[in-house]
Amino acid sequence: MNNLQLTKGKALPSAVFLFAMLFAPAAGTLPLRASIQNVQQSESITGTVIDNTGEAVIGASVLVVGAQATTGTVTDFDGNFTLKVKPGTQLKISFVGYKDKIVKAANGMRVTLEEESTMLQGVEIVAYGVQKKVTVTGAISSVKSEDLTRTSVGSAANVLGGQLSGVTTVQYSGEPGSDAADIFVRGKGTWGDYSPLIQVDGVERSMNDVDPNEIESITVLKDASATAVFGVRGANGVVLITTKRGAEGKAKISFSTSFTALTPTKMVDMSSSLDYALFYNKMRANDGLTPMFSDAVIQKFQDGSDPIRFPNTNWVDYTMKDVTLQTQHNMNISGGTDKVRYFISAGMYTQDGLFKEFDMPYNCGYQYNRFNYRANLDLKATNTTTISFNVAGNVNNSDKTPNSQNVQGFIKDIYSSVPFSSPGFIDNKLVLTASDYEDVQLPFKDMGHGLGYYRKGFNQISNNKLQMDLMLDQKLDFLTKGLSLKLKGSYNSAYTVTKTGTAGVATYVPILQSDGSIKYRKSGENTDPSYSASQGKARDWYFEGSFNYNRSFGEHTITALALYNQSKQYYYSSTSYPDVPRGYVGFVGRVTYDWKNRYMAEFNIGYNGSENFAPGKRFGTFPAGSVGWVISDEPFFKPLKKVISFLKLRASWGLVGNDKTTTGTRFMYLADPYYISSDGLASNAYSNADNHYGYAFGNGGVQADVTATKGAYEKSKNNPEVGWEKAFKQDYGFDMNFLDDRLRTTFDYYMEHRTDILLLDATVPTIIGFTVPYSNLGEVKSHGWELSLNWNDKIGNDFRYWAKLNLSYNFNEVIEMKEAPQKNEYMYQKGHRIGARSQYKFWKYYYDGAEADYEKEFGKPFPTQLVSTLKPGDCVFVDLDGDGKIDQSDMSRDYGYTDDPQYMAGLTLGFTWKRLTFNAQLTGAWNVSRSISAVFRQPFFRAADTLYGGLLQYHIDDTWTTDNPSQDAEYPRATWENAANNYAGSDLYEKDAKYLRLKTLSISYDFNNAAFKSIGMTKFELTLSGYNLLTLTPYKWGDPEAVASSSPSYPLQRTYTIGLNVGF
Amino acid sequence: MMLISIGLSACTDKVAFGDASLDKAAGSEATKDTVFSNAEYTRQFLVGIYAEQYYGLPYVNSSILPHSTNPYAGKSDALTDCWHMGWNGAAIYGQYYTGNLTANVTRSDKLDGPLFSFDGEHVWQAVRAAHIFLENVDKTPGIDATEKARMKAEARCLMAARMWDCFQRYGGLPIIDHDLGVTETTAEFPRNTVEETVNYMVNQLDSAINEPNFPWVTADPTTMSGRWTRAGARALKAKILQMAASPIFNPKDGQPYYQGASESVLPLIMYTDASKYQERWDRFYQACVDFFNDLNANGYYQLTQAEGSNPGVPQYRLAYRKGYFLRSSKEILHSVRHHGYDGYSAGRYCWHSWYSSSVPRNLYWPTQEYVEMFPWSNGDPFDWETAYNYVYNEDGTLKYTSAGTPNASARGLNSMFLRGTETALSQQLINVQLTRDPRLYEEVIVNGLQKNLDWTTGAMSGNIWELWAGGTDALTGITTQTGMFGTGYGYNKYYLGDGNQTGSGDNLRYQTQWVYLSLNEMYLMYAEALLKKSSPNIQQACEQVDIVRARVGLGTLRQRVFGNKAYSDAAYTQKINEGKIYESDALLEEILRERACELGLQDIRWFDMIRYRRTDWMTKQLHGLEMHRLKQNAQGQWVESDTQWTGADKINDATSRQPHYFTYKKVEIFGNKRDQWGKDPQSNDIRKWLLSPFPQIEINKGYGLIQNPGWE
């Protein structure tokens, strides 16, 4: 197999493992089959019901014809059924959406149902189980595996945006291995923790741990009806990821491999040395200061005659590669018998970092490798017992720079760097300029250069995660028909090793010799990295036990669920009770009823306990109810059916909760904690806020390290009254199909009212000397709507095409946040969207005569601005409260949008024609903005000051100057003197970040032909695809999803992929 | 199978189900009961309050430490006429120099607020902790009554000191007099009057002072120094009463510092009863007397004196350095210790590490005005004009000696920092004499000074500081007014040398303590008290100042400053009676100048400015010194040359000698210039800066804060 070469040297151990995984279970199936034969000696027959695509039909009823209606069964999750009848008995197989079929019973029979209507097929994953799609009354949307793997991405989160209605994603960063998008379900319902609960196979796990190739579907539960059973965790929506499982049949082998070229979507241009110097001097002249750069220096920059001592380095180009490589390989095998089914997968994902490593002896350029494995096994132990076992995990390695400020600090360093700080490498020496040349002096030197990471060491992080699930499904029909018991236990563990190397670097300063040559003065040495390692670990377990009941009585179908779950997470927090594991307990109940799939009602209840609250307040009850009505099934609807083939109305109401605070405070009800034996001195104790209460008494030794006398202090105040944060959610929607289901639409309108939000009351005096504990005082309201249109049709036999549009809108408003009292309403977050920024309202750049125009426009005298003397080109802000002066009480949250978009849209277009498949996905977001800050806002900004930092080309091109006194300039007059005014946070820097982007594009062709088929090949598909190929946006400061601030993101990537997918 | 494995994996825990599984497992967390039922933890709790004290050397940008430790805020010394902040990243520039400060603080790090944050300084946490300690320590078993009494006295000092830190910047404060409960958060906490606040602090200190078990010196200073003592309590009491008696709070004419301040705010910003004006000075005087009586009775504290039979300027300087820098110094009455030493490139944060050519942030440039305050080394006042005239002709051209070299007269500009002899044996000057007040070299890095000082002998060594335009250390920073030496000077206090972490600095690995109260300040305080008390005693006042001057080898005030002229008690009293002296006179000016020289960068100048409402120090345009190196060209003419010596001529040309002739120009400071300069010092616009604004948000909360005038 040629994949060994494809994955290069590192893949060898993984490839060995992969094959071991593939063959071990396949060999194991043979003896099992023998034992199955024995079981079949009884009068039980087993069979499988599938549809015409080969998919299992779940929940199909299998009834003995002519017998009493109660003799029969229902197919299970995998379409299997077992019935105690003699072979040859007539059986009626029926399932909603399919035509009924009458067949003779035979052991091992396979019955293929024909679809009645494409719409009605299938099931929907719901909380703790599955439901027939037609009877679903909650707000749920889902996406299938093929939509997640059209192009190669590390995390499925990155291709969700625009695919699912009601889901907003923001991908802030492109950092390999850490580039997963933030997901919001129906926007933010609270300013606290708004991330949804993400479960993989029913257990809370990270989406990034799963190879997208292993995913069968991703389902998003949005309303209370769908999420109430998660009680404590469901308030922010739930994302359920279901991994693939084997289906009965011969082994299917699928192999896919892809190679991807990555390039940043957009980097920000930086100025040249000459422009830097000229702009600097101009800015000083603006403030009446002497020039910083002498004419001699400027001459050097201009003629470039002395490029080593007076260089001009574009640090973005110098340190970042134009293109890097990503590879993804996956091999999986699935299949099974009627007793054993399996899905086994192994995948490898590698991504190269964007940063050049030059001749460094180690990697630190943000490389990332991940190896995923998974085996999902289902074993039918008896006719009534199914045991399933999943084992999955991944090993990943990332190589990062040793910069303690992580990648943001690293990118920040580049944008804050000075173009003449270094010419880069000369004869393999890292040369840094100096400000003390004898002839012409640079005013400052290596205040920042883009090679800050060079030979400074490395930071290698290895993660090893292992996840296991064991499930038992026992049918209890002997107690009462339709009853079953499920038990599930899961265990997750992770182990992280972080190896850090810190090294010294030799740098060289150029010294001009009298003969004009340059010699170098060395400083420092290239040392071998000093080496340190630290370990991190995580383990948690989850247990669930449930009774399920599912039975039809004629046209009435009732299902019920009673479930208990409990989880424990060790090493949960590093700050709040780090030695104490976190636990949850939940009781879940659900009853659903439908009559002929026409009238549906459902009631859910979650009863959940949280460690955070006092006994007695600990448990919260979260009920939810929903109803549905398929109008199109009503007799009176018949005449309309030609146009409207299906119409269902849905409504749901319910309560969901949250127990987490933003700071991760735990056990909020206990006696006030004190911290004892703090032995750290007051210092830069960033990492441990507790440990700086020691004190250095005594005279100490002159050079001795100081030993602290230990200290103790009152750590915080607790509140025994604290309890659940609650969200009351309502959802009203309809599903409506037109023209024989060729066009399917779904619409939902929802409202959410979040109350008792946990917060710290900021209205209390600070001088009480302690921080008030969390209390249930906050309130947020949100609402929105979602629309999805899905057109799917065939022309002839060979051409199938589709178009799918999703549109989501979300509005939220803080109703109460207990903010510290302010002078003006507009200053509060209260009354505004969560995340609304506080900023001045920019009016115009100042000009002679602006005072009169201002007065004319606002009817009020021109206010004193933030500085006493304005010069033309300086920002003029609007005096919102009319008190004649601009101060913080004129900062309003009324302007601009927020980082998370109000509208998100996705459009998928595609077709298949014979063996050619084309798919394009466009994603757009609007009513979203970014506030540019730091070096993106202010020239020469760096963390320490605004004197020696970087300069973007934008400032040179688009700053108000006396030569170009334009009101349309992006930036005001450049100044240090009036910086407090001109670079104050205002809506001038609030930039529209709406975008429309071609998120993915893929074209594939299946080359499978007779020759291939003769060796058993079912597929040989070549795909060309891309990600983030094209972005239309008015936003200029990098990618519109990224952040242009003091912690700028790793650039988002545009990718071009060639992939091969082979099936046997 | 799986369930068993769960059981195994969790075998270290008891697996419980339902409600019981949510109870907090046993952990390390302590509660109030844990602390006060254990002698060790009770002692620790007191130590925890020490960690919350004011440390005046900003060194770390951390949200978990008091705001004033943040270099992005800055030191109030830079708001006076003695230092100017050259870094524009600090609130000193962004809020004060620009005049932008308002009562509205919106940043969570409070960097858009006052340097000393009303609500971000841990003042209230420390006050609370002290109350918790005082209310609970009696319960603790295993500590004897003597130790409890001592610890309570320490807790009272800690509380009073933290309130004092806040009081001297804000005026009357709300007094929190017990351990508040959660339900009291809605109570009213109005500001107390200046009188009430002063009396509360003094009462706390008096309780400590009167505690027989509160020692004058700790039982074992080698292990216990840094703890509050009766000496510290007495000194703090005197200092509080000094400010209480000063014109800011005790105006003789009963007029507030801010004209037209509302009636309701008056008692919060001053004593409204002017008839007790003199009584308040006398109360201050009495506190000084009590301190010195106690000192005479109990000894121990003394100024660190120069060693050797015939100490020179370097030895005096070393004595002065040891006096404030070493933790074993006996002249320190109370010090505050944070983590504070430079661990030799270990990435540690301290005052020292924020000041180097690569980290040019703590740029407290000494001004020309400050440097001129330092007399010549015998105590004669320095006069620029005189020194200038030695070097320059009336038309501004240079004077030359008969040998053709620029003038090098002992009291001319070329000798105003040091003088030495050129020799064929050495590139650097030999027989270098430091010509000025020894403290100048410890407060200020001046041009030509060698970088290192030997801790034993006081001998100087190493390269010289090149602070002329183009010089190795100053480079272009002199002409552009940027970098470490924008005024032609750098500060040296608590820094002690070359800070670029190459290992040559004098203070690397030394713990940097903040001197909170010291004996030299007490002498100068006493001098002021003697001058201000009923029936002033000029003779004694001068003697107190002379004690401080003598330590650094300066002649007495009468001999050197007043020229032995009659400056008698009688004459002074007469002037007072004639109403000629109100807030100042020649001796007071000398005391204030002496305080600035003796106690540089210790917040003293700022509080003198506040106390005496010396807004003229705030509004005057300040100056730097621009120096250009004079170098002989091929024709033998002396011409300006903005070039390095150490990094260039010295290594390239063995015949090159240390530059010691320069041209001098006093230049107006234009880098980071202050909005206040040139304004009317008596205007409310300027006067409002004397007290800080309370955060508007705290006022809005409506628990009774009233804003200081000018900040509404």
Side-chain angles (χ1 to χ4, degrees), chain B residues 583-603:
Chain B
E583 287 185 359
S584 189
D585 87 319
L587 180 53
L588 180 65
E589 286 299 299
E590 271 306 306
I591 293 172
L592 295 180
R593 184 200 54 72
E594 201 67 42
R595 284 166 61 88
C597 294
E598 179 74 19
L599 303 162
L601 280 181
Q602 285 178 224
D603 294 352

Side-chain angles (χ1 to χ4, degrees), chain A residues 800-873:
Chain A
R800 184 173 188 91
Y801 66 100
W802 57 86
K804 192 171 153 189
L805 176 72
N806 284 309
L807 194 56
S808 310
Y809 167 76
N810 165 265
F811 173 88
N812 64 55
E813 183 183 344
V814 176
I815 305 298
E816 182 53 81
M817 207 173 166
K818 285 285 178 186
E819 293 162 87
Q822 303 283 7
K823 270 187 187 162
N824 303 303
E825 283 300 314
Y826 54 67
M827 297 168 75
Y828 289 103
Q829 293 200 47
K830 183 167 141 179
H832 293 95
R833 184 175 175 85
I834 294 165
R837 281 178 271 262
S838 169
Q839 54 199 346
Y840 295 108
K841 173 84 186 120
F842 173 75
W843 179 58
K844 278 177 182 173
Y845 298 122
Y846 182 75
Y847 53 91
D848 292 331
E851 288 86 349
D853 290 352
Y854 182 96
E855 196 158 350
K856 210 182 290 169
E857 186 171 334
F858 295 99
K860 285 193 185 115
F862 189 80
T864 311
Q865 297 289 316
L866 292 168
V867 290
S868 50
T869 317
L870 288 188
K871 289 185 185 169

Side-chain angles (χ1 to χ4, degrees), chain A residues 530-848:
Chain A
S530 69
Y531 181 87
S532 69
S534 64
Q535 278 96 37
K537 52 189 172 176
R539 64 188 169 98
D540 48 89
W541 57 259
Y542 172 82
F543 168 75
E544 167 188 310
S546 64
F547 287 100
N548 285 268
Y549 181 72
N550 185 346
R551 195 160 170 196
S552 295
F553 302 91
E555 287 161 334
H556 308 272
T557 303
I558 289 174
T559 74
L561 167 76
L563 181 144
Y564 171 80
N565 64 31
Q566 180 174 338
S567 61
K568 229 12 155 205
Q569 189 179 357
Y570 298 82
Y571 318 115
Y572 162 62
S573 167
S574 60
T575 54
S576 184
Y577 301 91
D579 49 343
V580 179
R582 181 173 70 149
Y584 279 111
V585 162
F587 296 95
V588 172
R590 174 164 61 209
V591 181
T592 74
Y593 166 81
D594 73 79
W595 184 77
K596 280 185 85 172
N597 294 331
R598 190 184 297 169
Y599 306 112
M600 284 80 75
E602 183 173 328
F603 179 74
N604 296 289
I605 189 160
Y607 181 68
N608 290 75
S610 162
E611 62 171 23
N612 276 342
F613 311 129
K617 304 229 169 234
R618 202 169 259 176
F619 281 84
T621 306
F622 302 100
S626 59
V627 291
W629 178 25
V630 181
I631 305 183
S632 54
D633 273 7
E634 297 288 354
F636 64 75
F637 201 83
K638 270 239 153 93
L640 286 170
K641 261 208 140 167
K642 281 209 169 131
V643 183
I644 301 174
S645 45
F646 179 81
L647 174 61
K648 176 164 80 174
L649 303 184
R650 295 177 279 109
S652 76
W653 308 264
L655 206 57
V656 199
N658 175 42
D659 69 329
K660 280 201 273 188
T661 65
T662 37
T663 50
T665 312
R666 303 172 66 200
F667 303 110
M668 293 178 260
Y669 63 92
L670 294 175
D672 304 339
Y674 278 56
Y675 192 93
I676 52 173
S677 299
S678 173
D679 58 0
L681 294 176
S683 68
N684 58 322
Y686 293 116
S687 54
N688 191 346
D690 291 327
N691 196 11
H692 64 278
Y693 285 84
Y695 200 73
F697 292 113
N699 295 342
V702 171
Q703 297 204 7
D705 238 6
V706 177
T707 38
T709 305
K710 287 177 184 172
Y713 79 108
E714 180 193 41
K715 197 172 163 183
S716 59
K717 278 278 186 188
N718 276 336
N719 176 8
E721 299 302 316
V722 74
W724 290 94
E725 181 174 316
K726 296 190 180 79
F728 178 66
K729 299 188 179 200
Q730 303 174 63
D731 187 286
Y732 305 96
F734 62 80
D735 304 318
M736 197 168 179
N737 298 353
F738 298 89
L739 306 171
D740 243 0
D741 294 349
R742 276 178 294 178
L743 175 65
R744 300 183 216 173
T745 66
T746 298
F747 178 84
D748 281 278
Y749 175 80
Y750 63 87
M751 287 181 282
E752 177 177 339
H753 188 189
R754 192 82 67 112
T755 52
D756 293 343
I757 295 177
L758 288 160
L759 56 70
L760 299 171
D761 187 349
T763 64
V764 301
T766 312
I767 58 169
I768 54 176
F770 58 85
T771 309
V772 287
Y774 276 96
S775 328
N776 298 96
L777 294 170
E779 185 178 351
V780 171
K781 278 186 172 170
S782 61
H783 68 260
W785 50 261
E786 294 144 16
L787 173 69
S788 88
L789 305 173
N790 195 342
W791 177 267
N792 204 325
D793 198 13
K794 269 200 250 190
I795 299 175
N797 284 333
D798 291 337
F799 189 78
R800 184 173 188 91
Y801 66 100
W802 57 86
K804 192 171 153 189
L805 176 72
N806 284 309
L807 194 56
S808 310
Y809 167 76
N810 165 265
F811 173 88
N812 64 55
E813 183 183 344
V814 176
I815 305 298
E816 182 53 81
M817 207 173 166
K818 285 285 178 186
E819 293 162 87
Q822 303 283 7
K823 270 187 187 162
N824 303 303
E825 283 300 314
Y826 54 67
M827 297 168 75
Y828 289 103
Q829 293 200 47
K830 183 167 141 179
H832 293 95
R833 184 175 175 85
I834 294 165
R837 281 178 271 262
S838 169
Q839 54 199 346
Y840 295 108
K841 173 84 186 120
F842 173 75
W843 179 58
K844 278 177 182 173
Y845 298 122
Y846 182 75
Y847 53 91
D848 292 331

Side-chain angles (χ1 to χ4, degrees), chain B residues 183-345:
Chain B
T183 52
E184 289 177 273
T185 56
T186 51
E188 298 258 302
F189 302 98
R191 276 180 81 177
N192 289 76
T193 63
V194 164
E195 184 163 15
E196 288 162 346
T197 313
V198 167
N199 288 343
Y200 185 83
M201 294 185 290
V202 168
N203 289 343
Q204 293 296 327
L205 293 171
D206 279 342
S207 316
I209 291 165
N210 296 330
E211 169 53 56
N213 292 306
F214 194 38
W216 175 249
V217 187
T218 60
D220 176 13
T222 52
T223 58
M224 290 177 80
S225 68
R227 286 194 181 265
W228 277 96
T229 57
R230 194 169 75 247
R234 284 213 181 277
L236 180 57
K237 178 181 172 184
K239 193 164 177 171
I240 291 172
L241 292 175
Q242 177 194 31
M243 186 145 200
S246 297
I248 179 80
F249 292 137
N250 184 29
K252 196 173 186 182
D253 58 2
Q255 291 303 309
Y257 68 90
Y258 189 92
Q259 293 136 35
S262 73
E263 284 297 316
S264 59
V265 82
L266 286 184
L268 311 179
I269 58 168
M270 60 186 255
Y271 288 99
T272 47
D273 180 3
S275 68
K276 292 184 181 161
Y277 168 80
Q278 190 55 49
E279 218 173 89
R280 293 180 192 116
W281 281 114
D282 289 344
R283 193 181 178 199
F284 162 50
Y285 168 71
Q286 191 53 47
C288 292
V289 170
D290 292 345
F291 173 87
F292 282 102
N293 286 343
D294 219 344
L295 177 64
N296 290 336
N298 292 291
Y300 185 78
Y301 301 103
Q302 60 188 49
L303 295 185
T304 311
Q305 299 296 339
E307 289 174 21
S309 53
N310 188 18
V313 173
Q315 287 72 40
Y316 286 124
R317 175 188 168 194
L318 179 62
Y320 173 72
R321 168 183 287 194
K322 286 178 171 173
Y324 78 85
F325 197 81
L326 294 183
R327 289 200 285 165
S328 55
S329 163
K330 290 185 177 177
E331 70 185 72
I332 293 168
L333 303 171
H334 185 70
S335 62
V336 177
R337 290 91 179 273
H338 278 196
H339 179 107
Y341 66 97
D342 196 318
Y344 230 145
S345 306

Side-chain angles (χ1 to χ4, degrees), chain A residues 418-479:
Chain A
V418 176
F420 51 84
S421 52
S422 155
F425 294 95
I426 308 286
D427 302 332
N428 295 321
K429 296 184 179 94
L430 176 55
V431 175
L432 303 182
T433 55
S435 55
D436 57 357
Y437 300 140
E438 279 181 61
D439 50 346
V440 179
Q441 287 180 353
L442 279 170
F444 48 94
K445 44 176 185 171
D446 61 324
M447 293 305 191
H449 59 83
L451 283 166
Y453 64 97
Y454 178 70
R455 278 189 185 266
K456 287 287 177 64
F458 54 81
N459 193 11
Q460 296 173 342
I461 302 165
S462 302
N463 273 302
N464 190 342
K465 297 193 183 185
L466 178 65
Q467 303 170 342
M468 288 183 285
D469 304 313
L470 182 69
M471 291 150 289
L472 170 79
D473 188 343
Q474 175 65 52
K475 290 200 170 71
L476 300 173
D477 292 296
F478 63 90
L479 290 174

